Amino acid sequence: MPPKPPRPKPVRRAVQKEILTKGRPASIAWLLIVACLTLGMHNATLIATGQVTKPGPSVTWLAWLVIVAFVVLVGGLIWLLPRLMTVWLWQWGVIIAQLALTVGVGTWLHGGQELLYMGMLPLMLIEGLNLVSDRWWVIVLIWLTYGAVWVSYGLNTNWTRMAVMIQASLFTAVVVIYYWRFYSHQVDERLKSVGGVTIGVQAIRSLNCS
């Protein structure tokens, strides 16, 4: 783990906190969509491989419980992000916990793990870019973890599918980082303008008082 980074500027921290706070409903909605798609793919895999003979709601109860527990734990962390970002160890703890949960559930699943990995990638990238002060260390950690996951995936399936998943991951990361930079710049400018107006009002008040 890298050394403790210097304390970020107040304006940048305010931008990060606003993005995390306002993005919670969308993140949880996306998490639910990913969970439903993962269960659907898991069910389809069981049917295709002959483990389930009848189509329909045939996902095992254990798979339901695992996915529901995953959604509850990750969703709880997402909702607490604005509070957890105040302590350096909690910032890293959230990212590591989500990576561990994603890899653990994806490894346990037999079918649907690709959707789980790809669905969680943009969420963790956005959190890493806004939660941790030294965000590029988090991006490196996420990429190292996903690199190991896709290599293992290629060894267990085939290298063509692994190459496709790596390309999809790279494309997702580029899109997320691009739009994050665009949106954070807008929020940054707005907060700076609000701060400038506040300083101007305070200066006028001080002149009037004098």
Side-chain angles (χ1 to χ4, degrees), residues 47-62:
I47 295 173
T49 56
Q51 300 180 50
V52 175
T53 56
K54 295 181 179 180
S58 52
V59 180
T60 62
W61 282 106
L62 183 58

Side-chain angles (χ1 to χ4, degrees), residues 4-80:
K4 186 175 181 180
R7 186 178 297 275
K9 297 180 180 180
V11 173
R12 174 171 293 279
R13 211 58 179 148
V15 172
Q16 294 171 331
K17 185 173 183 179
E18 178 169 335
I19 293 175
L20 290 175
T21 302
K22 291 187 175 181
R24 289 183 298 184
S27 297
I28 292 177
W30 178 256
L31 177 64
L32 292 173
I33 293 173
V34 171
C36 292
L37 291 175
T38 300
L39 279 173
M41 180 60 72
H42 180 69
N43 188 28
T45 302
L46 293 179
I47 295 173
T49 56
Q51 300 180 50
V52 175
T53 56
K54 295 181 179 180
S58 52
V59 180
T60 62
W61 282 106
L62 183 58
W64 276 99
L65 291 175
V66 169
I67 295 298
V68 168
F70 176 80
V71 170
V72 171
L73 291 173
V74 175
L77 290 174
I78 290 174
W79 195 259
L80 294 174

Side-chain angles (χ1 to χ4, degrees), residues 134-158:
D134 198 351
R135 55 184 177 271
W136 299 117
W137 279 104
V138 179
I139 302 302
V140 170
L141 175 63
I142 293 173
W143 272 115
L144 288 176
T145 304
Y146 266 73
V149 166
W150 292 136
V151 169
S152 176
Y153 177 79
L155 292 174
N156 289 285
T157 55
N158 60 72

Side-chain angles (χ1 to χ4, degrees), residues 200-210:
V201 171
Q202 291 177 350
I204 293 173
R205 288 179 178 176
S206 63
L207 289 174
N208 291 334
C209 293
S210 61

Side-chain angles (χ1 to χ4, degrees), residues 71-95:
V71 170
V72 171
L73 291 173
V74 175
L77 290 174
I78 290 174
W79 195 259
L80 294 174
L81 284 177
R83 296 183 180 181
L84 297 176
M85 70 183 298
T86 57
V87 180
W88 178 72
L89 289 178
W90 292 354
Q91 298 169 6
W92 280 95
V94 169
I95 299 298

